[in-house]
């Protein structure tokens, strides 16, 4: 195979000889923070897309000619299967020592620890799983190797009572182990995993409503203990109950530092041993996920992304699949985990739709607890009608208009709309990261009254490049407090969630007909408003200043046709509650 004008830049970049040609003529690519965008293109499409780096026709011909002389071997990808005779028959079945609790609360993490063999490479040589049984129901769960001869099997029981289990493995000492434990009632604050409810909304498994008020801090778990603890301290007093975060480290603007841990043994893209995970990396990740759980925050875990200089975004199919099985074995027992297959899936040049569908199949088949799962876009939306997708994770596709489309998306996909990126409050040079706090809050309210859920992020410049959107730390913006105010308004609203109502042409509203109405006037500034309601139903009326966070209860009651005086300022909402 040789390179031609239809070859993706990512394919050329992956070849040492091809990369040398690119850097010979296009040296700016070496340190470009936008390399993940560039790799998706061919050379001609990149040339047409980026006027700042126009490649003259003569130079383009020279580059393509030199590339056409490079012979590229097709990538080989052989999956590694567990060894049939990992332990011979001199080893007694079920002889490994085990440790496990006698009881665990409902929706807690039950962990069976086994001390077993460690010769060869247990990450790929050993298969391990367990079947957990309760009154005829059987749940299969994968186990995993955690280094130093330690294997773990984790399980989230969802029914109170006595459960039994048995293990199965190609390692004789790990196979045939049996036991039982008691699942007790959940403790205060434990409501189970979040599920979709009423088509467009969410609730915990015990029925308690859950209103996602999310934020993004992509690689906060890669920054070292001091900064990570500061992030947790910030979250403790912030209004957010969902955190978007990556498994892998990130390389992009304001992200030049190396992570503390790497997911594989090795030291560079050329020397990673993709058959040997680094347990310290995953132990650290799951400890931070547990820290979020203690704060009541859902961990929206991003499994892949393209902002990468280490090679993790360009692994082979078998390497991806092995990573996914390992990750789901480690984390699916945590009740507050969500799966996001990718951040900006359409920037990853090496993956096509069939790859994402394969990835989704592996995750869903190996997650016995059926956590929420979605995939996030950069340019074009994924097909959210796919049956495995539980909710729509959306990045704005218009510089200004995003939350205003919420109802249209609800109708199109008939699933909850979570606008995880509506842009970020901040002051960096990029349009996606320099909206004001007022505009961030406006987008939250617009999304809420149109029946969806908007996510927060912050990108204020920092002397040490510690921007919340990526590294965490402290929040400096003006929106979080106001977002918390909105969260309280939503939690006091209809238990089934805010659904859009038929509204007048110039104002969106949500609620329950004849019971609850919430109007939002955004950047408009009416000094009064006339309303025409069904006669015979009385309401209490509140005028809400969403920016100054005040609620002015109007005296008396209202029904039929009436007029409400308003302050003539922007960001005002009006709430009707039936008496």
């Amino acid at each position: 195979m040789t390179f031609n004008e239809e070859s993706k830049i990512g394919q050329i970049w992956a070849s040492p000889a091809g990369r040398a040609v690119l850097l010979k003529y296009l040296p700016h690519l070496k340190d470009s923070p936008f390399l993940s965008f560039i790799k998706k293109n061919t050379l001609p499409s990149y040339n047409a897309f980026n006027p700042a780096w126009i490649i003259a026709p003569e130079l383009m011909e020279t580059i393509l000619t030199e590339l056409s002389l490079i012979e590229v071997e097709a990538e080989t990808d052989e999956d590694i299967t567990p060894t049939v005779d990992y332990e011979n028959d001199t080893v007694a079945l079920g002889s490994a020592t085990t440790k496990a609790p006698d009881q665990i609360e409902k929706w807690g993490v039950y962990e069976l620890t086994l001390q077993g063999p460690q010769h060869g490479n247990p990450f790929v040589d050993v298969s391990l799983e367990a079947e957990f049984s309760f009154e005829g129901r059987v749940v299969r769960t994968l186990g995993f190797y955690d280094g130093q001869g330690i294997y773990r099997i984790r399980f989230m029981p969802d029914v109170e009572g006595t459960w039994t289990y048995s293990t199965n493995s190609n390692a004789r000492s790990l196979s045939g182990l049996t036991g039982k434990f008691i699942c007790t009632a959940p403790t205060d604050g434990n409501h189970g995993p979040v599920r979709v409810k009423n088509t467009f909304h969410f609730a915990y498994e015990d029925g308690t409503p859950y209103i996602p008020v999310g934020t993004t801090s992509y690689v906060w778990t890669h920054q070292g203990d001091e900064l990570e603890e500061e992030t947790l301290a910030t979250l403790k007093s912030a209004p957010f109950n969902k955190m978007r975060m990556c498994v892998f480290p990130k390389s992009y603007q304001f992200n030049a530092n190396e992570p503390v841990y790497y997911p594989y043994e090795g030291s560079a893209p050329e020397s990673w041993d993709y058959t040997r995970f680094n347990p310290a990396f995953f132990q650290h990740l799951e400890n931070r996920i547990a820290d979020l759980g203690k704060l009541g925050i859902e961990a929206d875990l991003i499994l892949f992304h393209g902002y990468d200089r280490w090679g993790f975004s360009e692994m082979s199919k078998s390497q991806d699949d092995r990573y996914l099985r390992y990750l789901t074995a480690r984390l699916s027992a945590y009740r507050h985990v969500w799966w996001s297959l990718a951040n900006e899936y359409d920037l990853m040049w090496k993956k096509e739709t069939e790859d994402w569908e394969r990835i989704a199949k592996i995750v869903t088949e190996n997650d016995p607890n059926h956590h929420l799962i979605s995939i996030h876009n950069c340019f074009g939306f994924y097909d959210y009608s796919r049956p495995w997708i539980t909710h729509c994770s959306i990045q704005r596709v218009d510089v200004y208009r995003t939350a205003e489309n919420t109802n249209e998306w609800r109708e199109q996909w008939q699933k909850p709309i979570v606008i995880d990126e509506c842009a970020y409050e901040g002051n960096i040079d990029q349009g996606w990261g320099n909206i004001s706090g007022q505009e961030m809050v406006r987008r939250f309210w617009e999304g809420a009254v149109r029946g969806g859920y908007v996510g927060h992020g912050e990108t204020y410049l920092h002397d040490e490049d510690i921007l919340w959107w990526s590294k965490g730390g402290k929040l400096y913006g003006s929106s979080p407090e106001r977002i918390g105010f909105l969260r309280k308004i939503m939690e006091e609203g209809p238990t089934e969630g805010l659904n859009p109502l038929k509204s007048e042409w110039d104002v969106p509203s949500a609620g329950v007909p004849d019971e609850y109405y919430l109007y939002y006037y955004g950047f408009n500034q009416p000094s009064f408003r006339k309303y025409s309601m069904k006669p015979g139903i009385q309401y209490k009326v509140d005028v809400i200043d969403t920016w100054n966070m005040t609620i002015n209860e109007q005296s008396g009651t209202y029904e039929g046709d009436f007029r409400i005086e308003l302050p003539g300022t922007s960001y005002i909402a009006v709430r009707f509650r039936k008496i």
Side-chain angles (χ1 to χ4, degrees):
M1 183 186 81
T2 60
F3 296 123
N4 56 49
E5 63 181 10
E6 295 182 357
S7 300
K8 292 181 180 179
I9 292 175
Q11 295 171 307
I12 302 170
W13 192 266
S15 160
R19 186 184 304 186
V21 171
L22 290 177
L23 293 178
K24 176 181 175 181
Y25 296 105
L26 307 172
H28 65 279
L29 294 180
K30 180 180 179 182
D31 299 314
S32 173
F34 307 109
L35 191 58
S36 57
F37 292 86
I38 295 169
K39 286 182 175 181
K40 187 77 173 175
N41 291 275
T42 64
L43 280 167
S45 67
Y46 172 61
N47 195 36
F49 177 74
N50 191 347
W53 293 99
I54 290 293
I55 304 172
E58 302 80 16
L59 180 57
M60 177 70 77
E61 184 177 352
T62 298
I63 296 173
L64 291 172
T65 298
E66 290 194 23
L67 289 173
S68 69
L69 301 176
I70 298 173
E71 287 289 336
V72 184
E73 293 184 8
E75 180 180 306
T76 59
D77 183 25
E78 182 179 356
D79 199 6
I80 302 172
T81 56
T83 305
V84 175
D85 55 349
Y86 182 72
E87 287 183 320
N88 61 42
D89 55 12
T90 64
V91 177
L93 281 168
S95 57
T97 58
T98 63
K99 179 182 177 182
D102 295 326
Q103 62 181 37
I104 192 74
E105 67 175 306
K106 185 179 180 181
W107 302 308
V109 179
Y110 180 82
E111 181 170 291
L112 174 63
T113 304
L114 306 89
Q115 186 69 51
Q118 52 184 312
H119 59 277
N121 181 359
F123 289 110
V124 294
D125 292 341
V126 177
S127 64
L128 175 64
E129 63 179 38
E131 289 187 345
F132 290 84
S133 303
F134 180 85
E135 295 184 353
R137 176 180 167 219
V138 178
V139 181
R140 170 186 164 272
T141 301
L142 291 179
F144 62 92
Y145 183 59
D146 206 20
Q148 299 181 323
I150 296 174
Y151 298 79
R152 303 185 194 279
I153 301 173
R154 290 175 176 157
F155 175 66
M156 186 192 79
D158 57 0
V159 178
E160 295 173 40
T162 300
W163 288 78
T164 60
Y165 63 81
S166 62
T167 66
N168 182 44
S169 174
N170 66 327
R172 290 174 59 84
S173 61
L174 304 176
S175 193
L177 293 159
T178 61
K180 64 180 179 179
F181 65 92
I182 296 173
C183 176
T184 61
T187 55
D188 290 343
N190 174 3
H191 301 290
V194 174
R195 309 297 191 194
V196 172
K197 184 178 181 181
N198 299 328
T199 306
F200 302 111
H201 303 289
F202 302 94
Y204 294 101
E205 192 160 303
D206 70 352
T208 302
Y210 170 77
I211 296 173
V213 180
T215 188
T216 292
S217 189
Y218 285 121
V219 285
W220 76 275
T221 63
H222 297 279
Q223 307 306 318
D225 288 343
E226 183 178 357
L227 185 54
E228 291 169 21
E229 291 294 336
E230 184 176 65
T231 302
L232 290 166
T234 299
L235 288 169
K236 190 173 183 179
S237 58
F240 309 115
N241 58 13
K242 184 172 84 74
M243 171 70 95
R244 292 180 68 233
M245 53 186 284
C246 300
V247 175
F248 292 126
K250 181 179 180 180
S251 177
Y252 189 50
Q253 291 177 298
F254 314 107
N255 288 265
N257 59 306
E258 291 294 318
V260 178
Y261 304 100
Y262 296 97
Y264 296 96
E265 293 187 11
S267 58
E270 292 77 19
S271 65
W272 296 127
D273 184 349
Y274 289 109
T275 70
R276 292 182 182 270
F277 297 102
N278 176 13
F281 174 95
F282 293 94
Q283 290 163 6
H284 178 75
L285 173 65
E286 66 198 19
N287 286 339
R288 289 311 189 200
I289 289 173
D291 288 334
L292 292 179
K294 294 172 186 175
L295 297 175
I297 297 173
E298 303 289 303
D300 193 352
L301 204 60
I302 298 165
L303 307 185
F304 293 100
H305 66 83
Y307 299 97
D308 169 57
R309 63 174 180 267
W310 302 277
F312 309 132
S313 64
E314 299 174 1
M315 297 187 296
S316 69
K317 289 180 173 60
S318 65
Q319 290 163 355
D320 283 345
D321 297 355
R322 188 160 51 245
Y323 151 71
L324 293 166
R325 290 191 294 267
Y326 189 75
L327 192 73
T328 51
R330 292 198 76 116
L331 299 180
S332 61
Y334 290 86
R335 62 179 175 269
H336 63 291
V337 162
W338 300 20
W339 308 119
S340 177
L341 296 197
N343 181 71
E344 300 178 335
Y345 79 93
D346 42 348
L347 292 188
M348 299 189 70
W349 69 269
K350 201 172 182 181
K351 291 179 171 57
E352 304 296 341
T353 299
E354 57 266 26
D355 295 304
W356 295 119
E357 291 298 305
R358 187 192 80 255
I359 287 168
K361 187 172 187 289
I362 292 172
V363 173
T364 54
E365 286 183 348
N366 291 289
D367 173 14
N369 303 303
H370 312 297
H371 291 293
L372 295 174
I373 182 170
S374 192
I375 188 169
H376 170 271
N377 67 289
C378 182
F379 298 112
F381 292 137
Y382 202 82
D383 178 7
Y384 291 119
S385 65
R386 301 278 185 172
W388 58 267
I389 295 178
T390 57
H391 63 285
C392 308
S393 173
I394 287 175
Q395 176 173 194
R396 51 104 188 93
V397 292
D398 182 274
V399 175
Y400 304 107
R401 179 182 167 89
T402 297
E404 292 83 354
N405 296 324
T406 301
N407 194 29
E408 174 187 331
W409 293 330
R410 280 173 42 120
E411 293 301 316
Q412 179 178 356
W413 290 307
Q414 293 294 302
K415 291 179 181 180
I417 304 301
V418 182
I419 304 174
D420 280 311
E421 286 190 60
C422 71
Y424 298 129
E425 178 185 356
N427 60 0
I428 64 171
D429 63 320
Q430 300 294 308
W432 52 261
N434 55 27
I435 66 172
S436 67
Q438 285 183 322
E439 178 60 13
M440 172 69 77
V441 174
R442 187 194 71 81
R443 295 183 187 196
F444 261 78
W445 274 86
E446 285 282 351
V449 297
R450 297 175 190 274
Y453 303 94
V454 180
H456 162 273
E458 185 179 290
T459 47
Y460 282 105
L461 291 170
H462 187 279
D463 290 343
E464 299 177 38
D465 283 349
I466 303 174
L467 282 64
W468 174 267
W469 131 91
S470 191
K471 297 181 181 178
K474 295 179 180 178
L475 289 166
Y476 300 94
S478 55
S479 65
E481 185 179 7
R482 277 91 181 173
I483 291 169
F485 179 72
L486 170 60
R487 175 179 170 178
K488 186 173 184 294
I489 295 289
M490 294 176 73
E491 289 173 342
E492 292 173 349
T495 56
E496 65 268 35
L498 286 175
N499 290 305
L501 297 173
K502 184 178 181 180
S503 304
E504 297 182 39
W505 68 274
D506 61 340
V507 57
S509 67
V512 179
D514 303 330
E515 292 186 14
Y516 180 101
Y517 294 84
L518 184 64
Y519 298 86
Y520 181 59
Y521 293 95
F523 44 67
N524 295 307
Q525 47 183 14
S527 57
F528 69 92
R529 191 77 177 188
K530 294 179 179 179
Y531 300 92
S532 183
M533 311 301 291
K534 185 182 295 184
I537 302 175
Q538 293 187 329
Y539 297 94
K540 291 296 293 182
V541 176
D542 297 315
V543 175
I544 302 170
D545 186 324
T546 67
W547 184 252
N548 292 312
M549 298 178 289
T550 60
I551 301 176
N552 184 8
E553 181 179 327
Q554 306 298 290
S555 59
T557 60
Y558 297 83
E559 67 174 287
D561 297 328
F562 54 87
R563 167 174 164 154
I564 298 294
E565 302 300 320
L566 300 175
T569 56
S570 297
Y571 314 122
I572 298 299
V574 177
R575 178 174 63 184
F576 297 173
R577 289 180 289 184
K578 178 183 176 182
I579 297 175

